[in-house]
Amino acid sequence: MSDYSTLGDVAGKRVLVRSDLNVPLDGSTITDDGRIRASVPTIRELAAAGARVVVTAHLGRPKGAPEDRYSLRPVAARLGELLGQDVAFATDTVGESAQATVAGLADGQVAVLENVRFNPGETSKDESERAAFADQLAALADAFVSDGFGVVHRKQASVYDVALRLPHAMGQLVATEIGVLRRLTEEPARPYVVVLGGSKVSDKLGVIDNLLGKADRLLIGGGMVFTFLKAQGHEVGKSLLEDDQLDVCRAYLERAQQTGVEILLPTDIVVDTAFPNGDRTPEPRVVPAGEIPADALGLDIGPDSAAAFAAALADAHTVFWNGPMGVFEVDAFAAGTRAVAEALTKIDGLSVVGGGDSAAAVRALGFDEAAFGHISTGGGASLEYLEGKTLPGIQVLED
Ligand code: ADP
Ligand code: MG
């Protein structure tokens, strides 16, 4: 639970809430509203306490200027449905529309400001440009609540600089997420097993460094596999590969052996001759991990590997999973991800799913969210925390 007592009585106050509403969209249709739902408790609690709630958030990666396809308008509408109350929408972030919208709020009402990343000051590396934008954001409110867990690892105006300018507090979502991460890092119940996959290979390799000193077992699937297989001397065909990380992978494998941490790599791989797209019927084939044909690419871990991964998870008391085992969006390559998700639902202990796509995978494959200990809304933020890095958006709240 979060603690807003540092803000005093919020009734009648304008409270700026940084939420993470960065949901996947197909046109203007929200395909997974998990992050909006995760943002509701804090907004609801503040509104119920009589605050005038002003929500700021980003969507996608616009380049500091408005772009229709990244408008938060459909997200604001969905937030209104979930809250069960009207949500006002400002067509800019700090301009005339925002000022008029905020001025029009009564106690207990909620407004969403247009995509904060339509403003170059939000993500600027130039401190003064960011500061000037943070001043404008701060002018809209009397207090700040940080609840966008997916962005707390970013030193951005709406995450970091605005907290320097207003009385601030942690929202419920951020408090819950940080609590879970503490349980993963401070004396986790053992065996502690970490499963890594997905496509952001170089982003994720860094976390292994720290995990080799913490986890008992490391299971590697997804696009990361092929850099490891190549590091072991295997050919990987047209699979995802980060050539400049081969030495890093080799060093991890050696260190794991020295420290007694078990690294489990898949022994079989589901391959196809092309990356799946709408026009082509997949032709999945299972091959041994060391025999990926030159004209094929690996798109999922194979059935033997899926069974081995499930077995390696069975006795765990703490599990952290980040990154799908394969291209789960296509049924032919979803079995590995399904097997890992299934194994997590049976954990006697704490099971944590982190990462936007991993969380979406769990829901898309039809699992009950309640079967997992915690489904995190933030991939990058969780990984940086587990890497042992300081998260600027958390540090600024604690100072
Ligand atoms: P998360 O958002 O959970 O942190 P990532 O963003 O790193 O995960 O990766 C998710 C994506 O990885 C999915 O869209 C999935 O299709 C893709 N993926 C998984 N395995 C492979 C693979 N072998 N080759 C290419 N892409 C993969
Ligand atoms: Mg992702």
Side-chain angles (χ1 to χ4, degrees):
M1 269 292 164
S2 56
D3 180 10
Y4 305 120
S5 62
T6 51
L7 301 180
D9 182 6
V10 295
K13 282 191 188 162
R14 299 166 302 162
V15 179
L16 183 70
V17 180
R18 178 48 160 115
S19 298
D20 177 7
L21 304 178
N22 188 25
V23 291
L25 285 176
D26 182 6
S28 61
T29 306
I30 297 160
T31 52
D32 183 79
D33 68 357
R35 281 181 167 160
I36 309 178
R37 283 186 287 119
S39 302
V40 162
T42 293
I43 296 169
R44 180 174 280 149
E45 186 182 6
L46 288 166
R52 304 173 179 201
V53 185
V54 182
V55 181
T56 183
H58 76 282
L59 183 70
R61 296 188 175 224
K63 303 214 160 28
E67 264 182 85
D68 267 354
R69 65 187 167 129
Y70 294 129
S71 174
L72 278 173
R73 192 186 280 281
V75 173
R78 179 74 187 125
L79 177 63
E81 287 169 17
L82 291 166
L83 282 170
Q85 73 180 82
D86 280 345
V87 167
F89 181 68
T91 56
D92 57 30
T93 317
V94 293
E96 276 174 29
S97 174
Q99 289 165 26
T101 304
V102 173
L105 288 177
D107 295 359
Q109 289 188 334
V110 178
V112 172
L113 307 176
E114 183 56 288
N115 196 335
V116 69
R117 289 193 187 165
F118 286 177
N119 307 270
E122 168 66 0
T123 57
S124 179
K125 297 277 176 266
D126 175 344
E127 301 263 342
S128 63
E129 193 184 358
R130 235 175 44 229
F133 179 60
D135 283 341
Q136 290 179 293
L137 268 176
L140 293 170
D142 307 302
F144 174 64
V145 170
S146 178
D147 207 32
F149 179 69
V151 286
V152 290
H153 58 313
R154 307 276 187 212
K155 198 171 182 181
Q156 296 177 342
S158 70
V159 180
Y160 178 83
D161 304 78
V162 80
L164 300 172
R165 289 164 169 75
L166 290 171
H168 50 254
M170 213 181 253
Q172 288 189 41
L173 177 62
V174 168
T176 303
E177 297 269 13
I178 293 292
V180 169
L181 287 169
R182 290 220 168 100
R183 284 176 68 192
L184 290 177
T185 43
E186 294 163 13
E187 300 181 32
R190 298 186 180 279
Y192 174 21
V193 183
V194 175
V195 190
L196 290 177
S199 57
K200 293 179 189 160
V201 181
S202 45
D203 278 10
K204 296 185 183 187
L205 283 174
V207 74
I208 295 178
D209 199 43
N210 203 28
L211 287 173
L212 285 176
K214 299 237 155 63
D216 300 302
R217 249 171 249 152
L218 201 57
L219 318 187
I220 296 180
M224 209 179 285
V225 162
F226 309 100
T227 308
F228 276 94
L229 289 176
K230 179 103 185 189
Q232 290 180 321
H234 300 299
E235 289 307 320
V236 296
K238 301 186 290 181
S239 306
L240 201 65
L241 179 67
E242 304 229 353
D243 263 318
D244 56 349
Q245 302 290 330
L246 291 172
D247 286 339
V248 173
C249 290
R250 245 174 245 128
Y252 285 154
L253 291 168
E254 268 169 38
R255 243 185 72 210
Q257 218 151 32
Q258 288 156 9
T259 54
V261 176
E262 200 183 332
I263 292 190
L264 224 73
L265 288 166
T267 52
D268 57 348
I269 301 284
V270 184
V271 301
D272 200 346
T273 51
F275 197 85
N277 65 47
D279 305 336
R280 189 176 159 278
T281 308
E283 291 169 20
R285 254 184 315 150
V286 178
V287 300
E291 295 172 27
I292 299 175
D295 67 343
L297 69 166
L299 296 166
D300 193 11
I301 61 172
D304 289 353
S305 309
F309 281 22
L313 284 162
D315 67 342
H317 292 304
T318 307
V319 180
F320 175 73
W321 171 32
N322 174 284
M325 296 293 98
V327 182
F328 72 92
E329 295 91 339
V330 177
D331 206 42
F333 309 109
T337 303
R338 190 177 283 118
V340 164
E342 179 77 40
L344 255 76
T345 64
K346 296 180 184 153
I347 295 299
D348 171 17
L350 175 65
S351 60
V352 181
V353 183
D357 292 289
S358 309
V362 158
R363 292 188 280 263
L365 297 175
F367 288 92
D368 177 5
E369 288 180 57
F372 301 88
H374 179 70
I375 299 184
S376 175
T377 51
S382 310
L383 289 172
E384 290 201 10
Y385 187 100
L386 294 179
E387 275 176 61
K389 290 186 184 163
T390 304
L391 307 178
I394 299 299
Q395 192 189 29
V396 74
L397 302 176
E398 286 165 350
D399 288 347

